Amino acid sequence: MTAPIVIIGSGFAAYQLVKTLRKQDSNQPITVLCADAGHDYNKPELSHVISRSQSASELIKQHADEFAQQQQITLHSEHRVSEIDRASQRVCANGHWFDYSKLVLATGASAMVPPMAGDAVAQVLTLNSLQQYQQAEAKLQQAKRVLVLGAGLIGTELAMDIASSNRQVVLVDLAKRLLPALLPPFVSSQLQQRMAQSEQGQIDFALGTSVTAVNQQPNGLQVQLANGASYQVDALISAIGLRPNTQLAQQAGLHINRGIVVDQQLRSSDANVFAIGDCAEMNDKVQPFLQPALLGANALAKTLLGQASNVMQPTMLVKVKTPWLPITLAGTTTDEHSQWQIELDGSGLVAKAFNGEQLVGAIATEQRQHALLPLLRQISQPL
């Protein structure tokens, strides 16, 4: 009997791959091993749980046993894989060995917490999974003052969501402006102004600095910043970024850079081992967004079933879920050498970035976000 395709992980990329495989082949044996409960949930909703007063259980779209039954797979939840034996094509989880014909690593990424001093470092929260939110939800529901560390995509979305629920928020980042990896200064400043002036909630900004210490106080946490400022809050959330989970792949001797290095077919340095989602690095890039995972799952399913297929990555839309200033962008939008063409009216902004005569990126806000779709095919891919 042929060994199954084994998938390690239960996030969006893993489960999208399962669904795609099953659509293409109803008989292919599939085994999923995951360290958590294995429920299918919508991870992007985690940045809106506070304003919607959602519990962790409400985010579950399908429980693990229901998902396994519907997709006709073997699912082992609470099974942490400790070893990959590439020579014999098997993996060890919870002391048991599982054979594979093809192995897919969908191990995701972990939220980073920067070094800081103090006796309450262990109380720093991260919200990168359903399990982490479940552990933090009681504290967050009771919190009235929250410090969010990180003004990138997730941190900014979280700060706005928390403030929308009538809580005080302090947003801290080493960068001097919001979303520096995605937005040019003229959009970043507009977003900050909109957040600062909103009547829906109070957000204070501490940019160009970092947290140096967090200590327990009788009425919460005392957070010290490098610029000398100090805040007393009820909760501190770290949202400074993600680090791909590569430990298992590294132990197995696979090629690792920032993520697990894969080719255009998501194949690692071992012909029978693949990687997808937040843990994978293709063309020197990791892409922690849903659309690359979706496109990757579509191609990888064909490859695993014997029809080798390259992952095609057209220019993709990135939606910034900041309802006080909704933003959609595509292409290269932070190159300081770009020349911008900006159209601005009462319904929003459309900005086009050019490198010479080539359109390389575009941003649209508010009611003008639909204007980005016709531009996608015109945007030049970076070399």
Side-chain angles (χ1 to χ4, degrees):
M1 183 177 177
T2 304
I5 294 171
V6 172
I7 300 170
I8 301 175
S10 62
F12 176 81
Y15 280 1
Q16 190 62 41
L17 178 59
V18 167
K19 294 171 187 176
T20 309
L21 280 167
R22 192 49 79 221
K23 285 178 183 177
Q24 296 181 24
D25 190 324
S26 59
N27 298 315
Q28 169 64 48
I30 302 170
T31 296
V32 172
L33 304 170
C34 57
D36 58 13
H39 302 316
D40 186 17
Y41 71 100
N42 191 355
K43 185 176 176 180
E45 295 300 311
L46 286 171
S47 61
H48 296 296
V49 289
I50 308 300
S51 63
R52 296 175 183 174
S53 300
Q54 289 178 301
S55 66
S57 59
E58 289 177 302
L59 294 179
I60 297 173
K61 296 190 296 183
Q62 200 169 27
H63 285 84
D65 54 349
E66 297 170 339
F67 180 81
Q69 184 176 8
Q70 183 185 73
Q71 299 299 328
Q72 296 181 302
I73 63 173
T74 301
L75 192 155
H76 296 279
S77 59
E78 311 294 347
H79 272 60
R80 184 174 297 278
V81 176
S82 57
E83 184 180 350
I84 300 172
D85 185 340
R86 291 164 49 200
S88 61
Q89 292 192 200
R90 58 181 189 158
V91 300
C92 183
N94 290 17
H96 301 284
W97 287 95
F98 299 84
D99 294 328
Y100 66 83
S101 58
K102 303 291 183 184
L103 177 65
V104 180
L105 303 179
T107 49
S110 297
M112 295 186 289
V113 177
M116 58 185 76
D119 60 15
V121 175
Q123 295 190 43
V124 176
L125 306 176
T126 56
L127 300 178
N128 189 45
S129 68
L130 182 67
Q131 186 176 25
Q132 288 180 356
Y133 174 56
Q134 194 168 25
Q135 294 167 352
E137 65 177 317
K139 177 177 284 190
L140 290 175
Q141 286 170 359
Q142 296 171 5
K144 297 299 181 184
R145 299 154 299 173
V146 180
L147 188 144
V148 177
L149 180 55
L153 187 66
I154 301 302
T156 301
E157 290 177 357
L158 276 172
M160 188 176 291
D161 184 71
I162 294 168
S164 297
S165 62
N166 199 31
R167 291 167 168 85
Q168 296 179 346
V169 178
V170 181
L171 186 57
V172 179
D173 200 295
L174 271 172
K176 295 182 179 180
R177 58 186 182 86
L178 305 183
L179 280 81
L182 290 176
L183 300 181
F186 63 90
V187 180
S188 181
S189 61
Q190 184 185 8
L191 176 61
Q192 182 173 341
Q193 184 178 32
R194 191 71 60 91
M195 292 172 71
Q197 296 177 349
S198 174
E199 297 178 357
Q200 297 182 47
Q202 179 183 339
I203 301 179
D204 294 326
F205 297 91
L207 302 177
T209 189
S210 60
V211 172
T212 57
V214 53
N215 288 286
Q216 185 69 55
Q217 298 292 320
N219 296 320
L221 302 175
Q222 192 73 28
V223 183
Q224 186 71 38
L225 304 188
N227 65 1
S230 179
Y231 294 92
Q232 185 165 323
V233 298
D234 302 309
L236 191 164
I237 302 172
S238 179
I240 62 171
L242 301 175
R243 179 180 292 111
N245 293 326
T246 61
Q247 300 93 328
L248 190 61
Q250 190 167 24
Q251 290 170 9
L254 299 175
H255 184 195
I256 305 297
N257 189 25
R258 184 180 171 197
I260 303 168
V261 177
V262 296
D263 63 14
Q264 294 295 127
Q265 295 176 6
L266 298 180
R267 183 179 278 105
S268 74
S269 51
D270 184 315
N272 292 312
V273 181
F274 301 78
I276 189 172
D278 293 356
C279 67
E281 176 181 329
M282 186 172 70
N283 298 330
D284 300 320
K285 293 181 181 178
V286 291
Q287 294 182 306
F289 298 112
L290 294 187
Q291 193 173 359
L294 178 63
L295 295 171
N298 291 339
L300 182 54
K302 294 178 182 177
T303 298
L304 293 172
L305 295 173
Q307 183 185 345
S309 300
N310 288 351
V311 179
M312 304 304 294
Q313 291 194 328
T315 302
M316 303 180 202
L317 292 176
V318 176
K319 289 185 176 292
V320 183
K321 301 190 297 294
T322 46
W324 301 348
L325 182 68
I327 302 169
T328 302
L329 56 98
T332 302
T333 52
T334 54
D335 187 343
E336 61 182 14
H337 301 297
S338 293
Q339 297 86 44
W340 286 92
Q341 243 181 44
I342 301 172
E343 302 171 12
L344 177 64
D345 60 27
S347 63
L349 168 151
V350 176
K352 303 175 186 178
F354 289 88
N355 184 351
E357 296 183 356
Q358 287 189 326
L359 180 66
V360 295
I363 298 175
T365 68
E366 300 179 274
Q367 284 77 43
R368 303 196 66 181
Q369 291 177 91
H370 66 277
L372 235 57
L373 280 174
L375 298 176
L376 281 181
R377 291 188 178 181
Q378 302 175 35
I379 294 175
S380 300
Q381 293 280 354
L383 298 176

